[in-house]
Structures are given as structure tokens and as C-alpha cells.
Amino acid sequence: MNEKEPADIIYFSSQEGLQILRHSTAHIMAHAVQDIFKDVRIAIGPAIENGFYYDFDYAQTFTPEDLEKIENRMNGIIAADYPFVRREISREEAISLFRKRGETYKIELLEDLPKDVEKVSIYSEGEFIDLCRGPHIPSTGMIRAFKLLNVAGAYWRGDERNRMLQRIYGTGFATKNELMEHLNLLEEAKKRDHRRLGKELDLFQVNDEAGAGLIIYHPKGAMLRSIIEDWEKKEHRKRGYDMVIGPQILKVDLWKKSGHFDHYRESMYFTEVEGQAYGIKPMNCLSHMLIYKARIRSYRDLPLRFFELGTVLRHEKTGVLHGLMRVRQFTQDDAHILCTPEQLNDEIKAVADFIDYAMDIFGFDYEVELSTRPENAIGSDRDWEMAEAALRQALNDNGKAYGINEGDGAFYGPKIDFKLKDALKRKWQCATIQCDFTLPERFDLAYIGVDGEKHRPVMLHRVILGAIERFLGVLIEHYAGSFPLWLSPVQAVLLTVTDKHIPYGKTVFRQLDDAGIRVEKDFRNEKLGYKIREAQMQKTPYMLVMGNREVETQRISPRGRDGKLLDSLSVGEFIALVEEKCHQYQ
Ligand SMILES: [Zn+2]
Ligand SMILES: [Zn+2]
């Protein structure tokens, strides 16, 4: 075996080991596909988060039955325990090798390598040969647990001008137990799909007649959103933010001044009013800059924290749009903090605390990552170093562990990303804190310092929940639609047994409604069992049945959405119960 794998032992339980395992499984999948289907050409097959894929060019569409066949063949390859053999050959040799095999995509990859690359590595196991940098597992027999999941279209090299290939996704783990656990989570994710629950719970719709990626909130969805927005306003006021509101469109010249026109134009929409070009805002920053500039600012005014529930539009390609998660119009809980360099550390720490508080309130764990300077960055080296140092310092002071994403910062500054983890262990990007030394310069922002001189303030862009649409999507799936009481658009529903219980039902409704409880009535002439089932489907926290006993005792008997019956209560006691459960959030 001519192996040149790393000398260190890599365990499959490590992220790195798992990646190697999954990528090796992608090779085996391509091997199996080639064995079964004639004239299939292979493209690329990397490991990805939670699995792997391989792209194929094949005349027929792969069916679920095909995936089964491929899996069976893969099991054969695994049983044969072929060693992965690495060879270094010249680029010319590789080209002629893949030409003989008809692998035009591999030839294209080889031809596109930088001129000075003379040698390339190829890996084979059994009959299968692939152009690859490696590393791989020593032999195919080491695969214990994998599963092919689905097929999707993917353009060669991600470019829509290229040919559409078929991407087969799979997942793999070190052990069968871990695989089963992951497949269960995937199954659960399907059940919790926010697009499906959004329809079932009557929260929102996306309608082609209105346009792709545009959310239409139904009454319950709009209620859920306003509960969150009310929470946002209260929490921001508590933390010394001033609420502001800017316009949806601003003159193109202003977007040029800010640098968005140069760096972000492709994601923006434009319009014209009386011959004047306007850009529809993809971010909320610009109005906030103008608010700062409306007065001469002194160091005594700082920090200034401008908060806006800012609705923005961004052009996302149709192919990436996905329910509430990826949309073209969304509202951010956006704020810009303008402060002195000395205040920066405290401000970043306060935002990180705010995020920590918010994640706890909504029931999420989270991870923290620092993203550093990307390739298309604007601003000087000195500014970038200063900004990165400030973010790092604040993270170190907060004492929470964090990862580093090299080169993943915004074009105008480094950032801290907070990724929340949902009930299905998936990570979602929500909160960010972005440092910006550039906009204050472009807008010539200044404050009068203690020394009586003009100084440049530092600016932070930050969001706590991020795009509210996306956050709602995450929230729906996290709770599988059974929102905590304080977030439930409808907290209780009144169900009458027969029409003669309606007058009492109306009295109770008025009392609960007056107390601010979000209550609905179902006084229809339907069987009680039917009404209860419907309320359960709606995941309404409390069902209040109005029957003879309730009318006689002038009390109510709440039933939870889990089917549990509570002791009978007076209306006043029920109001107190709801208030007690919600009060820490409101
Ligand atoms: Zn490989
Ligand atoms: Zn901003």
C-alpha cells in the first residue's frame, strides 16, 4: 500500500476524522455510481457539514430506487475492503488518464490548475480513480455507517451558465448509533418544517402571485411577530437605545458615498423618482449616519445607540430562497452604536450580554465566532487591526469560548457572529456585532473631545435576533409550533359544549380579553371532541371548555395542549396564572 496519509492518528470522533471518513464515502459512492450507470461522468465530491455529496453528469434523473441500488453497490465496495492508494503523477499523465476514462470534468479541473503545478495526486480504490488532494481513510472496509439522502440539481462550479449536474447527498458517521440519531433528527426536521407548520398554524404565506421570497403575514403570524417586536422595543429602551425610523429608499449618491453601491450593488434594487435614481435600502445604516450628523456631537453625547426595526430588501437568487429562512424582504432588529474608541470595549461587552439574555429568553444555546478581514475589504490595515483587537478583547473579557473564521468578516469591518443551536442541534446565524471604521470616515462623522478637538467616533452595527423572518422560522421549528405561552399568538380558546353555554362563554371571553389575554372563541355547533382536536392541532396552550358544570360553578376547567386537565379555577385565578407565566418576558 503506497500510503502517504498523515502520520498522526486521526479519530473519527474528531471533526477532522469525520470529514475524512465522509469524503472517502463520497469516493465510494462515485465508484458505485460508475459501476452501475454507463456513461456517467463524475465532477466533485467533498465532505460537507453533516455529510457529503458527489456531483454527476448523467442523462437520466437518479430515482430513489437508484439510490438504493447505489447503496447496495457501496456496501459491496466496503466489504471488498479496497485500500485507498495515492499516486503522484504529472499533470499531462493525469489528463491523458482521465481522457481515456472520458472524465471531462476532471480534465477541466486539471487544465485550470495554476501553470506552475507539475504534479498532481490521484487516489484509487479498486477500479475507481479520482483526482484528489486527499487525505482518505486507509481502506474502504473502515466505513461503518452511511446513508444516501436525496438528489438535487447543482450547476457545475456553482455557475448557472454551466451545465446542471445531479448532486447526490449522503451522510456518514463513525458508528451506526450516531447515524441513526442523525437520521431521526432529519426525520423530525421534516415534521417541523416551518413552511408546513406555517400553513397548518395559519401564520404566513409565500405566494407566487405576489412574488418569490416575499412573506405575507396572516393574523396569527403578524401577532407572533408583534409580540417579538414589542419585546425588542422594551429591551432596547431598557439598555439605553433610542428608537429611530428611516425611509425605504435613499438617493443613489448616498449609496455611492457609503460604498454600498460599489460593494453591494448586485444585491440591491433600484428605482427612479422624477428622474432621480434611488436605491432601496438593503441595510439600515445610512439614515442613522444622517441622524448622527444632524447635530454637532460632543464626547458627552456618546455613546449614541440608534435602534430601528428596519425593513430591508436584498436580491437573493430564486434558487436559494427558502420559506422564512431566505427571503428578499426582511426586518432586522438593527442598531448602530457610535462611541469613542475608549468606550468600544464596554459597548461590545454590553451587546454580547444582551444577546446572551435574548438567547436564554427564547430558549436557545449558542456558539460564538470571530470573523476576520475578507479579501474584498475596504479600510486601512491599521483600522482592521484595531477593530479585530477590540472585538477579541471584549470576547476574552466575557470569558465565553469562541472560534475564529479567517477571512469571513464584512467588507467594512471584522465581526462577531453568534450561532444559535436549536432543538435539532442545527446551528443558525442570528446575532452579529460588526465593527466599522469606514462609514464614520465616509460620512465624516465627528465629535468634540475633552481636548476641544474633533475626533472620529467608532461605529458598531449589530443585530440581536437578526432577520425577524428567519428568527421566526427557526423559532417555529425549534418549538415545533408549540410556542411558549408568552409567544403564543392565541393563548387560550373557549370551547362551548352546546349553544346554551354561549352566554357564559361570552362573559368569560370578555373578562380574559379585557385582561390582555389573547383568547379566541369556538362557539360553533360542532362536537366538543372535534373542537378540542382542532385546538390541539393549532397548538393552543389552553383550551377552556364551557359546559354545565362551568356555568353552574361560574368557574373554568383549563385543558393543556398536551391533553392534561388542570383543576377548575375562577376566571380571576386563570388570569393570574397566565400573567405569572408570562410576566418575566413582557
Ligand atoms: Zn478524495
Ligand atoms: Zn449597519
Side-chain angles (χ1 to χ4, degrees):
M1 195 163 63
N2 178 19
E3 276 294 322
K4 256 189 151 181
E5 304 289 359
D8 299 328
I9 297 169
I10 298 173
Y11 294 97
F12 292 151
S13 51
S14 72
Q15 250 331 298
E16 195 190 359
L18 209 47
Q19 281 231 333
I20 294 170
L21 183 76
R22 287 167 176 166
H23 169 66
S24 304
T25 315
H27 274 251
I28 295 168
M29 175 168 76
H31 183 169
V33 168
Q34 271 193 341
D35 275 1
I36 302 169
F37 304 94
K38 293 268 167 290
D39 301 322
V40 69
R41 278 175 295 164
I42 59 173
I44 51 161
I48 51 172
E49 187 167 14
N50 293 323
F52 59 87
Y53 69 76
Y54 213 113
D55 287 347
F56 301 98
D57 189 350
Y58 184 57
Q60 262 92 53
T61 309
F62 294 122
T63 62
E65 292 73 45
D66 289 340
L67 294 194
E68 243 172 75
K69 269 189 235 159
I70 298 165
E71 276 182 354
N72 287 337
R73 180 68 197 110
M74 287 172 74
N75 283 321
I77 295 165
I78 290 165
D81 197 18
Y82 296 115
F84 275 88
V85 181
R86 182 181 203 269
R87 267 204 305 149
E88 263 189 29
I89 57 178
S90 73
R91 185 207 297 237
E92 288 69 39
E93 231 180 305
I95 290 176
S96 85
L97 175 81
F98 285 110
R99 184 160 291 139
K100 268 187 227 140
R101 300 173 74 92
E103 298 295 2
T104 49
Y105 294 96
K106 300 293 172 188
I107 296 168
E108 194 180 321
L109 291 174
L110 282 161
E111 282 170 346
D112 283 359
L113 287 173
K115 283 224 156 46
D116 57 335
V117 175
E118 283 167 14
K119 295 230 163 213
V120 295
S121 60
I122 57 164
Y123 278 82
S124 59
E125 36 93 5
E127 294 294 296
F128 182 73
I129 301 177
D130 205 345
L131 172 71
C132 193
R133 210 177 288 130
H136 302 93
I137 53 177
S139 69
T140 60
M142 295 179 79
I143 307 279
R144 294 272 175 277
F146 76 94
K147 174 95 188 127
L148 302 188
L149 298 173
N150 62 306
V151 186
Y155 294 106
W156 167 235
R157 295 185 147 178
D159 187 336
E160 59 194 10
R161 288 163 300 187
N162 287 339
R163 194 173 167 82
M164 171 82 89
L165 306 175
Q166 295 186 68
R167 174 169 297 175
I168 303 182
Y169 284 100
T171 187
F173 286 85
T175 64
K176 285 221 159 62
N177 276 347
E178 287 167 286
L179 175 66
M180 287 313 293
E181 195 188 329
H182 182 70
L183 293 178
N184 285 339
L185 287 178
L186 288 182
E187 203 45 49
E188 187 58 31
K190 255 188 226 162
K191 279 189 231 154
R192 292 175 180 224
D193 190 317
H194 72 280
R195 293 168 300 180
R196 176 173 158 182
L197 283 170
K199 202 175 275 170
E200 283 173 17
L201 303 179
D202 198 17
L203 298 173
F204 69 92
Q205 66 172 300
V206 185
N207 191 326
D208 249 0
E209 257 188 283
L214 302 170
I215 305 301
I216 300 173
Y217 288 89
H218 292 199
K220 285 178 194 166
M223 176 53 78
L224 178 57
R225 177 167 154 176
S226 14
I227 295 164
I228 292 173
E229 291 188 348
D230 289 347
W231 177 86
E232 295 266 20
K233 289 177 195 170
K234 181 198 63 168
E235 293 299 330
H236 279 85
R237 268 199 308 271
K238 232 163 75 179
R239 290 173 169 79
Y241 287 82
D242 292 313
M243 191 144 167
V244 298
I245 301 172
Q248 285 309 118
I249 60 174
L250 297 92
K251 284 184 181 170
V252 159
D253 285 348
L254 204 63
W255 295 110
K256 284 183 180 160
K257 185 170 172 177
S258 68
H260 286 90
F261 189 81
D262 284 343
H263 293 267
Y264 206 73
R265 189 175 41 208
E266 314 234 302
S267 300
M268 287 178 67
Y269 300 104
F270 295 92
T271 188
E272 208 187 275
V273 182
E274 295 176 349
Q276 168 70 55
Y278 283 80
I280 300 169
K281 69 171 174 178
M283 297 183 195
N284 304 299
C285 330
L286 301 203
S287 303
H288 300 194
M289 300 295 94
L290 299 184
I291 298 168
Y292 184 93
K293 274 183 83 83
R295 271 166 51 188
I296 294 172
R297 306 288 182 178
S298 131
Y299 70 94
R300 281 188 220 95
D301 302 326
L302 303 185
L304 281 168
R305 308 182 190 96
F306 298 136
F307 166 63
E308 177 169 6
L309 284 165
T311 300
V312 297
L313 280 110
R314 292 183 191 174
H315 180 241
E316 298 274 8
K317 294 213 172 96
T318 310
V320 303
L321 297 173
H322 179 79
L324 292 166
M325 304 299 192
R326 201 83 179 255
V327 292
R328 287 187 174 145
Q329 175 180 309
F330 56 94
T331 300
Q332 297 174 298
D333 58 347
D334 200 4
H336 296 92
I337 298 172
L338 292 133
C339 63
T340 67
E342 296 74 38
Q343 291 167 334
L344 188 56
N345 188 259
D346 280 347
E347 288 304 310
I348 296 169
K349 277 198 288 187
V351 175
D353 279 350
F354 190 176
I355 293 164
D356 187 70
Y357 175 81
M359 291 299 108
D360 187 46
I361 287 280
F362 287 97
F364 293 107
D365 275 338
Y366 66 96
E367 283 175 6
V368 188
E369 276 168 13
L370 174 66
S371 294
T372 58
R373 185 174 188 166
E375 271 177 23
N376 65 341
I378 48 179
S380 73
D381 287 354
R382 205 187 56 106
D383 284 349
W384 273 88
E385 279 155 27
M386 214 157 100
E388 286 183 10
L391 290 172
R392 235 177 257 269
Q393 185 58 46
L395 283 178
N396 291 337
D397 290 351
N398 262 24
K400 209 175 147 68
Y402 62 93
I404 294 189
N405 266 343
E406 291 295 346
D408 208 26
F411 69 84
Y412 47 77
K415 58 176 180 168
I416 304 174
D417 288 322
F418 296 76
K419 293 193 173 141
L420 66 78
K421 284 191 280 183
D422 71 9
L424 303 184
K425 299 180 178 175
R426 296 170 301 181
K427 286 183 221 165
W428 302 94
Q429 165 72 61
C430 285
T432 59
I433 308 175
Q434 307 193 328
C435 227
D436 190 345
F437 288 83
T438 311
L439 269 192
E441 196 153 313
R442 284 177 174 252
F443 278 80
D444 195 24
L445 303 189
Y447 66 91
I448 309 298
V450 192
D451 55 5
E453 301 287 319
K454 265 187 165 186
H455 298 273
R456 184 84 68 213
V458 182
M459 176 166 141
L460 294 174
H461 311 249
R462 49 104 286 190
V463 293
I464 304 295
L465 305 182
I468 305 288
E469 278 72 7
R470 183 185 170 80
F471 187 75
L472 281 176
V474 174
L475 209 56
I476 292 168
E477 297 194 0
H478 180 61
Y479 285 111
S482 289
F483 302 112
L485 188 62
W486 77 281
L487 282 171
S488 291
V490 179
Q491 295 172 310
V493 57
L494 303 183
L495 312 171
T496 44
V497 179
T498 68
D499 285 353
K500 72 173 187 209
H501 306 116
I502 290 178
Y504 180 59
K506 281 186 176 164
T507 315
V508 175
F509 178 85
R510 205 168 315 114
Q511 284 173 287
L512 296 182
D513 191 51
D514 282 351
I517 290 175
R518 297 185 292 276
V519 58
E520 266 186 359
K521 40 185 186 236
D522 185 352
F523 293 171
R524 289 174 303 168
N525 188 11
E526 298 279 357
K527 288 237 163 57
L528 180 64
Y530 175 82
K531 294 205 258 190
I532 289 178
R533 264 194 309 282
E534 217 168 68
Q536 269 171 336
M537 293 283 286
Q538 287 300 304
K539 316 209 181 207
T540 311
Y542 292 112
M543 286 161 260
L544 310 176
V545 177
M546 308 277 123
N548 286 339
R549 201 167 50 124
E550 285 72 26
V551 175
E552 274 161 33
T553 57
Q554 295 288 297
R555 292 169 78 86
I556 47 177
S557 315
R559 174 196 289 261
R561 59 188 153 197
D562 52 2
K564 270 199 201 116
L565 284 166
L566 277 69
D567 292 338
S568 87
L569 300 165
S570 72
V571 176
E573 283 166 341
F574 180 71
I575 292 169
L577 174 85
V578 173
E579 278 172 356
E580 188 204 309
K581 286 191 178 226
C582 296
H583 116 110
Q584 61 164 313
Y585 307 106
Q586 285 163 343

